[in-house]
Amino acid sequence: MFESNQYKVKQKALSIGNKYLVYENGEQILDSAQKKLRLKEDFRFKDMDGEPVLKVTTDEMLDIAASYTVEDERTGEPIGGIKEELSFFQHKWKLLDTEGKVIADIIEDNIALALVRRFVTTLVPFSYRIGTENGQLGSINGKLSLRDTYEINLSEDIEDVLDPRMVIAATVLIDAIESN
């Protein structure tokens, strides 16, 4: 698990609340759900045996520019963080290491498409670039479907800067928080 550079995140059809399925190389590896009736965001990821794998939580009550902690539930160790950067025209997020240093940025593909999504139609799927000031590391590309579906490609991350668990958690969080 988490050995690939290709993943798919699909929002579950016919579900109440934010629930997602995560695939690696076409095989389902995780099931995720946002905890209901919580004042603070709380997402849990379980493997196919129902065992806890990841947890994404925040200490803040409002999700406006909140910071989220990603934790390995098997070890109880933090993996890193995800922080929203306030921007009216594009979704912008930061992936952080365990000390709060920025590892990479996740930015909506381009301003023109972002404006079309916000003011014209929501039928244009959301897509994001993942990168640093030194270049692109990967992408999160939305696909046209009944429920939100994203393909994650980390093949440009040749130096293994990104932990796939962080990018998977960020994809689910961004879709749920931004109400894509």
Side-chain angles (χ1 to χ4, degrees), residues 47 49 155:
D47 66 17
D49 295 326
S155 61

Side-chain angles (χ1 to χ4, degrees), residues 3-130:
E3 299 295 323
S4 177
N5 60 14
Q6 304 284 326
Y7 299 89
K8 183 180 280 189
V9 174
K10 293 176 75 172
Q11 191 174 36
K12 277 189 180 179
L14 304 173
S15 66
I16 297 173
N18 290 312
K19 295 180 181 176
Y20 299 86
L21 304 173
V22 179
Y23 299 84
E24 180 176 14
N25 298 323
E27 182 180 327
Q28 186 179 344
I29 60 168
L30 297 173
D31 197 337
S32 174
Q34 183 178 18
K35 293 268 188 178
K36 296 177 192 67
L37 303 172
R38 299 282 174 119
L39 293 175
K40 300 174 188 177
E41 299 296 347
D42 188 328
F43 292 85
R44 303 296 170 114
F45 295 78
K46 295 180 179 181
D47 66 17
M48 301 322 302
D49 295 326
E51 295 297 318
V53 176
L54 295 173
K55 173 170 72 170
V56 180
T57 57
T58 184
D59 292 333
E60 300 168 42
M61 296 263 246
L62 296 174
D63 63 12
I64 299 170
S67 290
Y68 301 86
T69 301
V70 181
E71 182 180 303
D72 183 324
E73 279 217 278
R74 296 172 290 193
T75 65
E77 295 291 320
I79 297 168
I82 304 166
K83 181 158 180 56
E84 184 176 12
E85 190 176 296
L86 289 179
S87 172
F88 181 70
F89 296 111
Q90 281 179 298
H91 296 162
K92 294 182 179 183
W93 294 76
K94 303 238 178 245
L95 295 180
L96 311 171
D97 66 12
T98 56
E99 278 142 38
K101 275 184 40 186
V102 176
I103 300 168
D105 297 305
I106 298 176
I107 300 173
E108 195 171 355
D109 52 2
N110 72 53
I111 291 177
L113 285 176
L115 293 173
V116 168
R117 290 178 187 113
R118 283 160 188 70
F119 300 113
V120 179
T121 180
T122 58
L123 292 177
V124 177
F126 283 82
S127 291
Y128 301 87
R129 295 180 320 272
I130 307 168

Side-chain angles (χ1 to χ4, degrees), residues 122-170:
T122 58
L123 292 177
V124 177
F126 283 82
S127 291
Y128 301 87
R129 295 180 320 272
I130 307 168
T132 67
E133 58 192 29
N134 297 326
Q136 187 157 324
L137 299 172
S139 61
I140 303 167
N141 293 307
K143 300 297 170 195
L144 192 57
S145 64
L146 284 177
R147 298 299 279 178
D148 296 335
T149 300
Y150 298 91
E151 290 181 358
I152 299 169
N153 182 339
L154 304 176
S155 61
E156 294 173 271
D157 184 15
I158 55 175
E159 294 182 17
D160 290 326
V161 172
L162 300 170
D163 182 331
R165 299 173 297 174
M166 288 288 294
V167 179
I168 290 166

